[in-house]
Structures are given as C-alpha cells and as structure tokens.
Amino acid sequence: GMKDLERLVGVLQSRRVMIAAGPVVTEAKVYMDFCFQLNLRHYHLGFDSVYRHSLIFDETSAASIRGSWFMEQDAETKEGPCKLCETLPPTFMARTDALQAIGFHPLLDGEFALLDLAIRASRSPLVEMRPAEDGVPDYTNGRWLSPYSGLPGRRHAGVSFVLCPHVVSHELPGLGSAHLYGRSDLPPSGVAAAEPWFADDSAALGPAMGGRHDARHLRPSQQAAMFMEVNNLKEFTGPDRITRHFGCNLAKTNCPVPQWVYRGWAVPPCCKETMRHLLFYIDDVFRDMGIRYIITDGVLLGSYKYGTMLDWDADVDLHIHNDDFPRLEEEVQHRVREDGHHLRKHENNNSWLLQANDHNYLLIELNRRREFWDPDAVWQLPVNGRLFPAMENSHVNISTWYGLSFFRHRLRHVPEWEEEHRPMFCATPYHYNCVDETMVPSGKDCQRVGLC
C-alpha cells in the first residue's frame, strides 16, 4: 500500500542507492527476495546469496544486547533493515536519473532485461564513495586501498540495490510467474523454476511475463542466448545450482578467436574444453602409435603454475621428436581423419596443426624444433588431471623462454601492429573476462607486498 511506497521512497532519499525493493511472496506462499551478489569470472555467471553490507535505520535497536528477555516493541511500525544486493526483484522503485544513466538493453525483455541491468549497474561507477569513518587507508588482501572503500584508487563505485523485507509484494491469484533467479530450491515437480526461461514456450512464463507468443526474438530461449551474447558469457549457473552452457562444441565452429585471443581476455570455457579434448586425444594416439613428443611453451608453463592449461593461452604446443616427425604425414594424418578430426600441414613445413574439424580453428601445434631432448630421460608433468611427457629439467627451459619470474602472471606481449588494429579489451580494467589482478592473483613477490 501507500505506506510501503513511502518506506521505499525514504530508503532512496536517505541512502545513495539506485533501487529499493521488497521480497515477493507467490500465490503458493513461497518467499523470494531475489537478492544475490553476482559472480562474474571468465565467461561464467553465478549467484551468491551471501550479502556484504546492510542498511540499518535504528542503531539503538541494532546495538541492543540480545537475550531471552529482549523483545523489540512495535517492530511493525519501525524502519526495518535492508540488505545490499546486486540483483533486483521484478517489482521495485528506482531513482529515475540513475535508471536513465544505466538504461535497459533495447532487445532484452522480462527478467533477462533486469539481470542485464544488474550486471551493468554493478560496474558503472556512478556513485562517489564516502571515505572510511576514520579516513585511514586500509591494507586488504596484500595491497593498500585508498580511504575510499572499494577497488584501489577508485573514488566511485557501481550503484547498489537494496532489499527491504518490511515491504512485501504478493503475486495476485492466477497471475503467478516463473522466475529466472528467484528460487534456489527444486520444486516437488523436479523441474527447476527457472527452466521456462531457457525453453521456447513463452506461455510457460505465466500470464504476467509471457509477452507476445508470436514474436520469435521474445521467446525465452532466444532471450537467453541474446543475454549471454551481449554480456560475453558462456555459462549460466543459477541459484538452483544448475549450469547451462551457451558455448561452442566440437561439432560447431569455435568461439570467434579474434574476439578474445591476445585481447587480455581469458579463453572461453568451451574453447578451453576443445583444446583439452584435443590434447588428450593426440596423447592417446601418440601413445598408441609409439610417437615420442613433449609438451612445451604455454601448456608446460601452465603445468608448473597450476597443473592445468593457462587461462589466457590460445593454443597448445607439442615438440615432436625429429625421428618421428615424418610419421605425422605418413601415418597420423590418416588416423586423425578416421577419428573424425582434422590435421593440416603448416606452410612452414615444420608444423602440423590438429583441429577438431576443418572449420574449428583451435589448434594443437605439432612442431619440429632444433632444441634437443632425450626421449629416454623425460619427466611426467600434470596437465588437467593427466600426466604428459616433458623435457628433463623443464624449469630451465621455462626460465629461458619466460624469464626467471615465470611464476608471476603476465599476458604475452602484444605487438604494436596488433594493438593498433585489435586493441586490448582490457585496456579498461575490471571486465569479468579479463585476466588481470582483480580476477587472477598476480603472483607478485611476497616480499614486495610485505607478506614475507
């Protein structure tokens, strides 16, 4: 009622937040507050229900000692607390100036439009942050922050949403809707509440959310694909803990490589899985045929760092023993063709390129090099849960190729001509697909940051 609206107006006026809302209670009396923190990292979207901050309007009550004798008097007439969220319910009150500054995506509809708004709002530095109460810089996670809470050296932060449980919206009888990220439980039917948002039937969303059933671009499945594309995402893990994949697979053309390689972004998970599959496949083939090889370059560096492929490496390099290299043309290419993959000779005549198929350009490079290694003295190093042959004393070679600080994370150098035509996406930092210090620990010298 009007009292609820006045409460939301009061929250917007008294705190620097963009949107205030209350929880939704369905016709079946299911409580949903839609309040989550967004976990965005390397093409993946997840939801975390653990909030970090709250709004408290009655400090006297908040500071009271609790015990069996305590009882808050007239709680229903007082200003209750709110919690800060990065997502919002479908019913809310917003500051029009902030809403206009962020805006809705013109092609997105329903709760995908709300979720898109939430992603951009959390990363749009519209709000000037107030100094910490003591005005003293804070030392957090091994680095100094400015007196303004937030990212280092930043005085502005993304706008916030607040969820206030004292203002409840009730779904009207017969007008209940399926919700994209409202429920974390699995209903008795066994079908996730969010499932209609990824299917083709608009009517399954409910009478309030169904929209035009004849508009193809408004079908839930089309909206889901469009939402993922405009936000550079490949995996969606909802509050129901179900992961839905939107990337490529071995049968399709891979994610367009120029969109991410050498741009400061991580490898899309689908592309990474394709390279892992090809690496495991060719290892099986080489073991079966007795062809000697070792892992080199980025995949070897990844083994030393994490025991996995690197987040930012765009291919896998193998060094084939010189005596076995001719067998790639004589025997291996025929085996690969029979297995449904594609092997082509590089124009330099010193490499063969293994692909999932002739239109998928993720590569395993099978190279012939001058560097000597003894096939009877190889080490076995872990990569993604499997052991692979590597040159004896491989750390010496890594130091030669990448320098003596190879445990520090660095993207490879991007030449000026490449930067001119395809500028780094991550020149403006903090995009969730970037491989930078906000997403991947830097591996800096612990003495320099005061830890040792």
Side-chain angles (χ1 to χ4, degrees), residues 66-188:
R66 295 294 187 259
S68 60
W69 61 88
F70 177 84
M71 180 175 292
E72 185 74 53
Q73 299 295 325
D74 302 318
E76 68 277 4
T77 66
K78 298 179 180 179
E79 294 297 332
C82 307
K83 56 182 177 179
L84 266 65
C85 318
E86 290 185 342
T87 56
L88 68 160
T91 302
F92 57 86
M93 180 177 288
R95 292 178 177 270
T96 55
D97 53 351
L99 199 59
Q100 289 172 351
I102 302 296
F104 287 100
H105 194 285
L107 298 179
L108 292 175
D109 189 43
E111 292 185 14
F112 278 118
L114 295 182
L115 195 53
D116 173 75
L117 174 73
I119 289 176
R120 287 183 290 113
S122 67
R123 280 157 176 76
S124 298
L126 296 181
V127 179
E128 185 172 11
M129 305 180 74
R130 288 176 174 163
E133 292 183 3
D134 54 10
V136 177
D138 181 30
Y139 187 74
T140 304
N141 293 330
R143 64 188 307 166
W144 286 103
L145 304 182
S146 70
Y148 298 84
S149 59
L151 293 169
R154 286 199 160 187
R155 293 176 62 102
H156 291 78
V159 292
S160 298
F161 308 150
V162 295
L163 189 286
C164 306
H166 283 59
V167 182
V168 181
S169 296
H170 295 269
E171 289 187 342
L172 296 175
L175 294 179
S177 301
H179 293 287
L180 175 62
Y181 53 95
R183 295 180 64 167
S184 58
D185 63 303
L186 193 65

Side-chain angles (χ1 to χ4, degrees), residues 195-245:
E195 193 60 33
W197 286 92
F198 300 92
D200 285 331
D201 185 8
S202 299
L205 298 181
M209 300 294 294
R212 287 181 54 192
H213 299 171
D214 60 339
R216 177 176 174 79
H217 73 280
L218 292 179
R219 291 178 185 174
S221 59
Q222 296 293 316
Q223 286 284 298
M226 189 178 304
F227 166 80
M228 299 295 283
E229 181 178 353
V230 299
N231 286 289
N232 306 116
L233 295 168
K234 303 295 181 185
E235 294 177 342
F236 184 108
T237 302
D240 54 14
R241 296 176 292 280
I242 297 175
T243 298
R244 297 169 173 89
H245 301 274

Side-chain angles (χ1 to χ4, degrees), residues 175-413:
L175 294 179
S177 301
H179 293 287
L180 175 62
Y181 53 95
R183 295 180 64 167
S184 58
D185 63 303
L186 193 65
S189 65
V191 179
E195 193 60 33
W197 286 92
F198 300 92
D200 285 331
D201 185 8
S202 299
L205 298 181
M209 300 294 294
R212 287 181 54 192
H213 299 171
D214 60 339
R216 177 176 174 79
H217 73 280
L218 292 179
R219 291 178 185 174
S221 59
Q222 296 293 316
Q223 286 284 298
M226 189 178 304
F227 166 80
M228 299 295 283
E229 181 178 353
V230 299
N231 286 289
N232 306 116
L233 295 168
K234 303 295 181 185
E235 294 177 342
F236 184 108
T237 302
D240 54 14
R241 296 176 292 280
I242 297 175
T243 298
R244 297 169 173 89
H245 301 274
F246 290 80
C248 56
N249 56 46
L250 294 179
K252 297 180 180 179
T253 302
N254 52 273
C255 315
V257 174
Q259 291 187 6
W260 55 270
V261 68
Y262 306 146
R263 314 299 289 278
W265 281 11
V267 181
C270 49
C271 298
K272 202 170 190 178
E273 173 58 24
T274 296
M275 289 192 289
R276 185 208 64 80
H277 168 84
L278 290 175
L279 176 60
F280 280 33
Y281 162 75
I282 200 63
D283 176 61
D284 289 337
V285 170
F286 284 170
R287 289 177 186 271
D288 183 48
M289 302 180 70
I291 292 178
R292 297 162 293 179
Y293 81 97
I294 54 173
I295 58 173
T296 62
D297 296 21
V299 69
L300 179 60
L301 179 62
S303 177
Y304 268 78
K305 282 176 172 289
Y306 315 122
T308 66
M309 293 185 291
L310 296 171
D311 284 335
W312 56 88
D313 204 11
D315 60 8
V316 173
D317 291 277
L318 307 182
H319 182 170
I320 314 301
H321 193 276
N322 287 347
D323 293 344
D324 293 335
F325 189 82
R327 296 180 62 192
L328 300 181
E329 184 167 13
E330 297 166 359
E331 304 172 45
V332 176
Q333 67 168 327
H334 306 296
R335 167 72 179 271
V336 169
R337 187 182 305 113
E338 291 173 359
D339 292 339
H341 292 316
H342 183 66
L343 186 65
R344 60 187 174 93
K345 196 171 188 178
H346 195 281
E347 59 187 12
N348 64 16
N349 291 321
N350 287 316
S351 299
W352 285 79
L353 308 178
L354 174 66
Q355 302 168 199
N357 50 60
D358 61 0
H359 55 274
N360 190 309
Y361 296 103
L362 295 165
L363 304 174
I364 306 291
E365 293 192 20
L366 314 178
N367 301 308
R368 175 171 56 190
R369 293 179 174 175
R370 296 178 180 178
E371 198 169 21
F372 172 79
W373 56 276
D374 185 354
D376 296 323
V378 297
W379 288 359
Q380 298 291 323
L381 271 66
V383 178
N384 289 73
R386 180 183 287 199
L387 295 177
F388 290 86
M391 185 182 299
E392 187 179 30
N393 294 316
S394 299
H395 50 276
V396 176
N397 298 89
I398 292 178
S399 300
T400 302
W401 300 331
Y402 298 103
L404 293 172
S405 59
F406 60 79
F407 277 138
R408 181 173 180 179
H409 306 327
R410 289 191 300 257
L411 291 173
R412 67 179 67 190
H413 170 69

Side-chain angles (χ1 to χ4, degrees), residues 421-436:
H421 297 290
R422 294 192 295 172
M424 294 281 282
F425 281 134
C426 295
T428 302
Y430 308 118
H431 191 288
Y432 42 83
N433 289 339
C434 294
V435 181
D436 59 24

